Amino acid sequence: MIVFIGKRIALMVPMLVGITMISFLVMNLAPGEPIDLLTNLNPKATAEVRERLRIHYGLDKPLPIRYVNWLKRVVRLDLGTSFAQDNRPVWDKIRERIPITLTINALSLLLIIIAALPIGIFSAVRQHSLWDRLLTIFVFLGFATPTFWLALLLMILFGVHLGWLPISGLQSPHAADAGFWIVFIDRARHLLLPVLVSAFGGLAGLSRYMRSNMLEVIRQDYITTARAKGLKESVVIGKHALRNALMPIITILGFSLPGLIGGSVIFETIFAIPGMGQMFYGAVMARDYPLIMGTLVIGAVLTLVGNLLADISYALVDPRIRVGHHE
């Protein structure tokens, strides 16, 4: 097992370099430069000033040299300085935003798992029943509903008409100096709508995977044998079928790890939440190259770590995988 994990970690290094190289190339091939955005509306920005800014930001150097210089800084755990007017270190900006996005997406993922797995199992066990059809309609309704439309609908209903929940931000002004529980409840009320919106759209995928995996497993011969021996249906499903049906789900959950810091641009923008998605969108629009690459590096690392965790989980559940890999 240690050899298996060691080989997988060793493979992560060239993969990470390859991902960052492609990301750096694509980012710089996009039209426009940060200098254009800084000087286009400034009548005093002469060609000489523009050239001095390009030299200051290192944009005058060839692309390979810029990538190597950037990679050297990353190896020293330095993600550089933002091109924005505040000129702050990239890591400081990411560190301020990442807990907010992680909290929202982790709660959303937890809610998806809690709801999707029972829905998938129930639909598979009662295939083609009325409940199966109703649950299928429900999850595909969530899949087909545009996130921004659902968010606006819930904001109008619960925020404007009923006045039950806040519709933007993370904290009410009156809760800033209040006690712990008041701040906690206020933060929970602010997060409720974003988490629900984020989770509703993700129900369909995981529940359908669970349903198809469970259907495949319960048609196996050993399940028929278990039923023929007179075992209770709950034991057959819960003990014998569920474990094997969960194996592909483990892989999907591993791939969900990078989504914990990304994929939240729409609802962070709609609910005015100062998270990673909103910051990344602003960085792309401003051509803030260091901030874009810093966010992409963290996303790439999380993707590789997610794959590693999925492989390890797979190997723990099914020993044939690590044995086959060793051979």
Side-chain angles (χ1 to χ4, degrees), residues 256-320:
S256 301
L257 197 57
L260 294 179
I261 68 161
S264 53
V265 177
I266 295 177
F267 66 81
E268 282 187 4
T269 304
I270 292 174
F271 289 103
I273 296 172
M276 288 288 292
Q278 190 189 57
M279 186 187 69
F280 183 70
Y281 175 74
V284 171
M285 298 305 292
R287 306 291 190 273
D288 192 344
Y289 293 161
L291 191 53
I292 295 172
M293 285 305 298
T295 309
L296 290 175
V297 165
I298 292 178
V301 170
L302 284 176
T303 303
L304 296 174
V305 171
N307 290 341
L308 176 65
L309 292 177
D311 288 344
I312 293 174
S313 304
Y314 236 52
L316 288 173
V317 174
D318 188 353
R320 292 174 300 176

